[in-house]
Amino acid sequence: MTGGVLLAGFLMLCQGAVAALEGIAALAGSDVYGDVGPYLYRISLTGWGWIHLGLGVCVALTGAALLKGAGWARVAGILFASLSLVAHFLFLLYAPLWSTIVIALALFVIWALAAYRDPDPASATAPR
């Protein structure tokens, strides 16, 4: 694996853990998130809590699998990073700075996982 994929896996592991904590904070009904008033994508804070908790666990597990070198984790990583990007775009009014950071990290993760080309070890050792 290249450094970009390793960094993507580490970022997914960390971001997934933080997103899970973000979801727990929303489920606990603490004053971390205020009432933003009516807007087009309004979901209750409990709904956002479950979304972030579930998505955070999936992102963290996929990041751990990436670090272990699982081949399926690249495709799953692109999927979960895309879902995280959309979820945090819709969550912008609740946490604008953090959502912007997560969106930027998700874009990097998607790029790093999509741009990675597995070197073909058979072609490097095959006689010509």
Side-chain angles (χ1 to χ4, degrees):
M1 268 193 288
T2 62
V5 174
L6 289 175
L7 181 59
F10 178 74
L11 288 174
M12 287 184 73
L13 186 63
C14 293
Q15 193 274 324
V18 172
L21 293 174
E22 186 178 18
I24 290 170
L27 288 172
S30 65
D31 294 333
V32 173
Y33 305 110
D35 187 27
V36 297
Y39 79 109
L40 185 60
Y41 306 112
R42 184 171 175 96
I43 298 174
S44 72
L45 199 53
T46 302
W48 279 118
W50 285 113
I51 289 169
H52 285 298
L53 180 61
L55 194 55
V57 168
C58 291
V59 168
L61 291 175
T62 305
L66 269 173
L67 292 176
K68 289 184 178 185
W72 59 267
R74 283 185 44 237
V75 174
I78 292 171
L79 172 73
F80 287 127
S82 300
L83 290 174
S84 178
L85 187 147
V86 170
H88 279 88
F89 174 75
L90 298 176
F91 198 66
L92 268 169
L93 290 179
Y94 286 97
L97 181 61
W98 177 245
S99 292
T100 304
I101 292 169
V102 171
I103 288 169
L105 292 175
L107 287 171
F108 170 77
V109 167
I110 293 167
W111 171 81
L113 296 178
Y116 176 71
R117 297 293 175 249
D118 192 18
D120 186 10
S123 66
T125 59
R128 293 183 182 216

PDB file of all heavy atoms in Angstrom, residues 56-73:
ATOM      1  N   GLY A  56     -20.376   6.388  11.788  1.00  0.00           N
ATOM      2  CA  GLY A  56     -19.057   6.467  12.408  1.00  0.00           C
ATOM      3  C   GLY A  56     -18.463   5.097  12.686  1.00  0.00           C
ATOM      4  O   GLY A  56     -17.274   4.865  12.444  1.00  0.00           O
ATOM      5  N   VAL A  57     -19.280   4.175  13.157  1.00  0.00           N
ATOM      6  CA  VAL A  57     -18.794   2.813  13.416  1.00  0.00           C
ATOM      7  C   VAL A  57     -18.374   2.156  12.100  1.00  0.00           C
ATOM      8  O   VAL A  57     -17.308   1.525  12.013  1.00  0.00           O
ATOM      9  CB  VAL A  57     -19.866   1.989  14.148  1.00  0.00           C
ATOM     10  CG1 VAL A  57     -19.515   0.516  14.166  1.00  0.00           C
ATOM     11  CG2 VAL A  57     -20.056   2.506  15.563  1.00  0.00           C
ATOM     12  N   CYS A  58     -19.181   2.312  11.062  1.00  0.00           N
ATOM     13  CA  CYS A  58     -18.846   1.727   9.754  1.00  0.00           C
ATOM     14  C   CYS A  58     -17.562   2.328   9.183  1.00  0.00           C
ATOM     15  O   CYS A  58     -16.715   1.606   8.639  1.00  0.00           O
ATOM     16  CB  CYS A  58     -19.996   1.927   8.773  1.00  0.00           C
ATOM     17  SG  CYS A  58     -21.466   0.975   9.167  1.00  0.00           S
ATOM     18  N   VAL A  59     -17.401   3.646   9.308  1.00  0.00           N
ATOM     19  CA  VAL A  59     -16.202   4.315   8.796  1.00  0.00           C
ATOM     20  C   VAL A  59     -14.971   3.850   9.566  1.00  0.00           C
ATOM     21  O   VAL A  59     -13.924   3.550   8.976  1.00  0.00           O
ATOM     22  CB  VAL A  59     -16.357   5.859   8.864  1.00  0.00           C
ATOM     23  CG1 VAL A  59     -15.045   6.567   8.619  1.00  0.00           C
ATOM     24  CG2 VAL A  59     -17.392   6.328   7.851  1.00  0.00           C
ATOM     25  N   ALA A  60     -15.079   3.754  10.897  1.00  0.00           N
ATOM     26  CA  ALA A  60     -13.935   3.327  11.703  1.00  0.00           C
ATOM     27  C   ALA A  60     -13.542   1.887  11.393  1.00  0.00           C
ATOM     28  O   ALA A  60     -12.355   1.571  11.269  1.00  0.00           O
ATOM     29  CB  ALA A  60     -14.257   3.489  13.189  1.00  0.00           C
ATOM     30  N   LEU A  61     -14.512   0.998  11.266  1.00  0.00           N
ATOM     31  CA  LEU A  61     -14.209  -0.395  10.952  1.00  0.00           C
ATOM     32  C   LEU A  61     -13.580  -0.531   9.566  1.00  0.00           C
ATOM     33  O   LEU A  61     -12.649  -1.322   9.369  1.00  0.00           O
ATOM     34  CB  LEU A  61     -15.466  -1.256  11.052  1.00  0.00           C
ATOM     35  CG  LEU A  61     -16.021  -1.459  12.464  1.00  0.00           C
ATOM     36  CD1 LEU A  61     -17.340  -2.226  12.421  1.00  0.00           C
ATOM     37  CD2 LEU A  61     -15.004  -2.159  13.345  1.00  0.00           C
ATOM     38  N   THR A  62     -14.064   0.249   8.618  1.00  0.00           N
ATOM     39  CA  THR A  62     -13.482   0.216   7.277  1.00  0.00           C
ATOM     40  C   THR A  62     -12.064   0.781   7.282  1.00  0.00           C
ATOM     41  O   THR A  62     -11.182   0.261   6.603  1.00  0.00           O
ATOM     42  CB  THR A  62     -14.370   0.998   6.290  1.00  0.00           C
ATOM     43  OG1 THR A  62     -15.699   0.467   6.338  1.00  0.00           O
ATOM     44  CG2 THR A  62     -13.853   0.896   4.876  1.00  0.00           C
ATOM     45  N   GLY A  63     -11.826   1.828   8.068  1.00  0.00           N
ATOM     46  CA  GLY A  63     -10.478   2.368   8.191  1.00  0.00           C
ATOM     47  C   GLY A  63      -9.519   1.357   8.794  1.00  0.00           C
ATOM     48  O   GLY A  63      -8.378   1.210   8.342  1.00  0.00           O
ATOM     49  N   ALA A  64      -9.983   0.615   9.801  1.00  0.00           N
ATOM     50  CA  ALA A  64      -9.145  -0.428  10.405  1.00  0.00           C
ATOM     51  C   ALA A  64      -8.849  -1.531   9.391  1.00  0.00           C
ATOM     52  O   ALA A  64      -7.726  -2.046   9.324  1.00  0.00           O
ATOM     53  CB  ALA A  64      -9.828  -0.996  11.639  1.00  0.00           C
ATOM     54  N   ALA A  65      -9.846  -1.892   8.589  1.00  0.00           N
ATOM     55  CA  ALA A  65      -9.641  -2.921   7.559  1.00  0.00           C
ATOM     56  C   ALA A  65      -8.661  -2.434   6.493  1.00  0.00           C
ATOM     57  O   ALA A  65      -7.853  -3.218   5.985  1.00  0.00           O
ATOM     58  CB  ALA A  65     -10.973  -3.312   6.931  1.00  0.00           C
ATOM     59  N   LEU A  66      -8.716  -1.145   6.160  1.00  0.00           N
ATOM     60  CA  LEU A  66      -7.755  -0.580   5.204  1.00  0.00           C
ATOM     61  C   LEU A  66      -6.332  -0.692   5.737  1.00  0.00           C
ATOM     62  O   LEU A  66      -5.412  -1.035   5.000  1.00  0.00           O
ATOM     63  CB  LEU A  66      -8.064   0.893   4.940  1.00  0.00           C
ATOM     64  CG  LEU A  66      -8.992   1.223   3.788  1.00  0.00           C
ATOM     65  CD1 LEU A  66      -9.314   2.699   3.785  1.00  0.00           C
ATOM     66  CD2 LEU A  66      -8.399   0.800   2.473  1.00  0.00           C
ATOM     67  N   LEU A  67      -6.168  -0.405   7.004  1.00  0.00           N
ATOM     68  CA  LEU A  67      -4.840  -0.480   7.601  1.00  0.00           C
ATOM     69  C   LEU A  67      -4.325  -1.918   7.652  1.00  0.00           C
ATOM     70  O   LEU A  67      -3.121  -2.141   7.627  1.00  0.00           O
ATOM     71  CB  LEU A  67      -4.858   0.122   9.006  1.00  0.00           C
ATOM     72  CG  LEU A  67      -5.088   1.636   9.062  1.00  0.00           C
ATOM     73  CD1 LEU A  67      -5.186   2.109  10.503  1.00  0.00           C
ATOM     74  CD2 LEU A  67      -3.980   2.375   8.339  1.00  0.00           C
ATOM     75  N   LYS A  68      -5.237  -2.884   7.713  1.00  0.00           N
ATOM     76  CA  LYS A  68      -4.832  -4.287   7.690  1.00  0.00           C
ATOM     77  C   LYS A  68      -4.602  -4.801   6.276  1.00  0.00           C
ATOM     78  O   LYS A  68      -4.160  -5.925   6.089  1.00  0.00           O
ATOM     79  CB  LYS A  68      -5.880  -5.154   8.386  1.00  0.00           C
ATOM     80  CG  LYS A  68      -5.902  -4.957   9.886  1.00  0.00           C
ATOM     81  CD  LYS A  68      -6.869  -5.897  10.531  1.00  0.00           C
ATOM     82  CE  LYS A  68      -6.825  -5.717  12.040  1.00  0.00           C
ATOM     83  NZ  LYS A  68      -7.661  -6.694  12.723  1.00  0.00           N
ATOM     84  N   GLY A  69      -4.942  -4.004   5.271  1.00  0.00           N
ATOM     85  CA  GLY A  69      -4.691  -4.378   3.881  1.00  0.00           C
ATOM     86  C   GLY A  69      -5.801  -5.161   3.217  1.00  0.00           C
ATOM     87  O   GLY A  69      -5.567  -5.799   2.193  1.00  0.00           O
ATOM     88  N   ALA A  70      -7.006  -5.107   3.739  1.00  0.00           N
ATOM     89  CA  ALA A  70      -8.134  -5.815   3.131  1.00  0.00           C
ATOM     90  C   ALA A  70      -8.485  -5.181   1.787  1.00  0.00           C
ATOM     91  O   ALA A  70      -8.656  -3.964   1.686  1.00  0.00           O
ATOM     92  CB  ALA A  70      -9.341  -5.782   4.061  1.00  0.00           C
ATOM     93  N   GLY A  71      -8.579  -6.008   0.755  1.00  0.00           N
ATOM     94  CA  GLY A  71      -8.864  -5.507  -0.588  1.00  0.00           C
ATOM     95  C   GLY A  71     -10.251  -4.906  -0.727  1.00  0.00           C
ATOM     96  O   GLY A  71     -10.444  -3.917  -1.436  1.00  0.00           O
ATOM     97  N   TRP A  72     -11.239  -5.490  -0.047  1.00  0.00           N
ATOM     98  CA  TRP A  72     -12.615  -4.999  -0.143  1.00  0.00           C
ATOM     99  C   TRP A  72     -12.770  -3.628   0.513  1.00  0.00           C
ATOM    100  O   TRP A  72     -13.720  -2.900   0.216  1.00  0.00           O
ATOM    101  CB  TRP A  72     -13.589  -5.976   0.518  1.00  0.00           C
ATOM    102  CG  TRP A  72     -13.287  -6.213   1.977  1.00  0.00           C
ATOM    103  CD1 TRP A  72     -12.528  -7.209   2.495  1.00  0.00           C
ATOM    104  CD2 TRP A  72     -13.732  -5.422   3.087  1.00  0.00           C
ATOM    105  NE1 TRP A  72     -12.456  -7.094   3.865  1.00  0.00           N
ATOM    106  CE2 TRP A  72     -13.196  -6.012   4.253  1.00  0.00           C
ATOM    107  CE3 TRP A  72     -14.529  -4.291   3.212  1.00  0.00           C
ATOM    108  CZ2 TRP A  72     -13.420  -5.494   5.530  1.00  0.00           C
ATOM    109  CZ3 TRP A  72     -14.757  -3.778   4.492  1.00  0.00           C
ATOM    110  CH2 TRP A  72     -14.222  -4.381   5.630  1.00  0.00           C
ATOM    111  N   ALA A  73     -11.852  -3.264   1.395  1.00  0.00           N
ATOM    112  CA  ALA A  73     -12.001  -2.037   2.173  1.00  0.00           C
ATOM    113  C   ALA A  73     -11.851  -0.781   1.318  1.00  0.00           C
ATOM    114  O   ALA A  73     -12.352   0.273   1.703  1.00  0.00           O
ATOM    115  CB  ALA A  73     -10.999  -2.022   3.317  1.00  0.00           C
TER     116      ALA A  73
END
